[in-house]
Amino acid sequence: MPSNEVLQALPVPVLVVGRDQRITAQNDGAAGIFEIDLVGRHVATAIRQPALLEAIEAVLSGAAQADARLVVSKHGREVLYDVHLAKLASDHSVLLTFLDVSPHEEAGQMRSDFVANVSHELRTPLTALSGFIETLRGPARNDPDARARFLDIMEREAGRMNRLVTDLLSLSRVEDMGRMRPTDLVELDQVILMIVNALSPAAKERNVEVRFHSDAGQPTIVVGDRDQLTQVFTNLTENAIKYGRKGGTVQITMKIEPMVPVFKGPGLVVTVQDEGEGIDPKHLGRLTERFYRVDNHRSRELGGTGLGLAIVKHIVNRHRGRLRIESTPGSGSCFTVLLPMPDSA
């Protein structure tokens, strides 16, 4: 059996099971998995997972090696380990090594979910377009009113697909640049003023007043990517206009905090507050997930793709910032972006 010093030096969790099916050694990594000292315990009482126990018995019975999987519940989530078992010829014991494959499994599941979501989002407008084309070629061929109505709907569905593809490309670009820190100096108050002016037609259409107030008392400079920061605050302001109360107010405020603990230095705090219906607390933790919507029908009717807040989160993370979401049903929603500031600011 390998010495305790060797087991502790291994970079993966390790258990050793003797011929009598009792655990004879473990390293700190294995103790972290099971959260108790297993040495001396019978393996059947320590590991109650039939497939892994069968693999241990197979190696003890003569097989040179085997593989199995261990599922452990930790902090409300399942952690998956690929377990490799090999016989130690010196004393006929079994060496078990554990490899955490949870991130790979989760990534695979995320890819599957992503493909399913994209397929679902595209299937609806494509089905609608196909149906209207068939109708225009048949029953509505000589009906000008129906043709005009169907063409309007087809234009809307095509626009929806175009927005989805644009957001998918945008999300892909943001993820690709995630490890590249921006280096430009951006005057953020001017960026937000430009956004407020650009969105004034949309605000006017819903009779919403967008107010911007800065307590900074000086130009607010951050290190960032101007285009991406424009995308962040355009998305948040546009959402506040769309989902806020018709005839209400959207309040954008900006202030400098001399010391933000997460930055260990000065930070810029920008909040976008609406007067909408608010969001049930159960949804808040998932709002930045891809394609997650509180109200699917309303979001689609307003042109949402379900990717906007996911893009916002990735951009804020790239800028070493923080995104906070607070909402109370009936009292509107508040989206807060914290960004580190240059010390010279």
Side-chain angles (χ1 to χ4, degrees):
M1 183 183 77
S3 68
N4 186 63
E5 183 180 8
V6 170
L7 293 180
Q8 294 296 349
L10 293 173
V12 293
V14 176
L15 285 180
V16 179
V17 178
R19 283 193 293 180
D20 59 356
Q21 296 196 16
R22 292 192 176 274
I23 297 169
T24 57
Q26 69 178 23
N27 65 3
D28 290 343
I33 293 176
F34 298 99
E35 299 180 341
I36 55 172
D37 185 0
L38 298 179
V39 175
R41 296 184 59 176
H42 194 282
V43 69
T45 64
I47 303 173
R48 302 187 178 188
Q49 301 200 15
L52 182 52
L53 292 175
E54 287 176 9
I56 293 171
E57 291 177 5
V59 175
L60 288 174
S61 299
Q65 59 184 21
D67 292 290
R69 174 157 286 192
L70 174 71
V71 182
V72 179
S73 180
K74 284 192 174 184
H75 310 296
R77 61 184 288 265
E78 287 190 342
V79 182
L80 306 178
Y81 294 92
D82 276 348
V83 188
H84 181 71
L85 303 88
K87 176 172 282 189
L88 300 177
S90 58
D91 58 359
H92 301 286
S93 58
V94 182
L95 181 76
L96 288 77
T97 55
F98 299 80
L99 178 64
D100 184 355
V101 294
S102 300
H104 301 289
E105 293 286 333
E106 290 169 0
Q109 186 60 50
M110 285 178 63
R111 282 193 294 271
S112 297
D113 291 345
F114 184 69
V115 171
N117 281 320
V118 171
S119 300
H120 175 74
E121 293 292 332
L122 287 173
R123 185 181 295 116
T124 303
L126 282 172
T127 301
L129 287 173
S130 298
F132 287 131
I133 290 171
E134 184 177 342
T135 304
L136 287 172
R137 283 176 171 170
R141 177 180 298 176
N142 299 315
D143 187 339
D145 293 337
R147 188 165 59 244
R149 187 169 67 254
F150 291 158
L151 287 172
D152 285 343
I153 298 173
M154 291 169 69
E155 182 181 26
R156 187 164 65 247
E157 294 297 335
R160 177 177 161 188
M161 286 193 293
N162 185 57
R163 286 191 299 273
L164 177 60
V165 171
T166 299
D167 278 357
L168 285 170
L169 292 173
S170 180
L171 181 60
S172 177
R173 283 195 297 269
V174 170
E175 288 180 333
D176 288 344
M177 298 173 69
R179 297 182 182 276
M180 300 167 55
R181 298 298 182 200
T183 56
D184 296 337
L185 294 178
V186 180
E187 198 167 335
L188 195 57
D189 52 340
Q190 295 303 311
V191 169
I192 293 177
L193 282 172
M194 178 195 71
I195 291 168
V196 171
N197 289 331
L199 293 177
S200 58
K204 186 176 181 181
E205 186 176 335
R206 286 184 55 80
N207 193 27
V208 171
E209 181 181 2
V210 181
R211 300 174 183 168
F212 172 55
H213 175 71
S214 174
D215 291 332
Q218 65 185 66
T220 48
I221 308 295
V222 295
V223 178
D225 181 312
R226 183 183 177 90
D227 290 341
Q228 287 193 344
L229 290 174
T230 299
Q231 192 171 5
V232 165
F233 292 104
T234 297
N235 182 285
L236 295 180
T237 306
E238 194 170 35
N239 281 353
I241 293 170
K242 286 180 180 178
Y243 301 108
R245 181 171 60 87
K246 201 168 186 178
T249 301
V250 172
Q251 184 71 50
I252 306 173
T253 60
M254 176 183 289
K255 63 179 179 179
I256 296 174
E257 290 286 352
M259 174 56 67
V260 178
V262 293
F263 302 148
K264 298 180 181 178
L268 186 65
V269 182
V270 184
T271 62
V272 180
Q273 173 82 50
D274 65 51
E275 297 177 347
E277 298 174 1
I279 303 167
D280 192 297
K282 69 181 181 182
H283 297 294
L284 295 182
R286 301 191 61 190
L287 285 179
T288 57
E289 292 180 15
R290 301 170 182 179
F291 297 111
Y292 188 83
R293 295 181 174 98
V294 175
D295 184 337
N296 279 333
H297 179 72
R298 187 182 180 199
S299 175
R300 289 192 178 98
E301 284 294 312
L302 294 174
T305 63
L307 294 172
L309 289 178
I311 294 171
V312 165
K313 180 183 177 181
H314 280 286
I315 293 175
V316 172
N317 287 346
R318 185 195 172 207
H319 286 72
R320 297 185 299 117
R322 299 290 187 275
L323 174 66
R324 295 176 181 168
I325 306 173
E326 300 169 303
S327 185
T328 303
S331 300
S333 304
C334 182
F335 292 78
T336 302
V337 176
L338 291 85
L339 295 169
M341 297 186 67
D343 292 336
S344 59

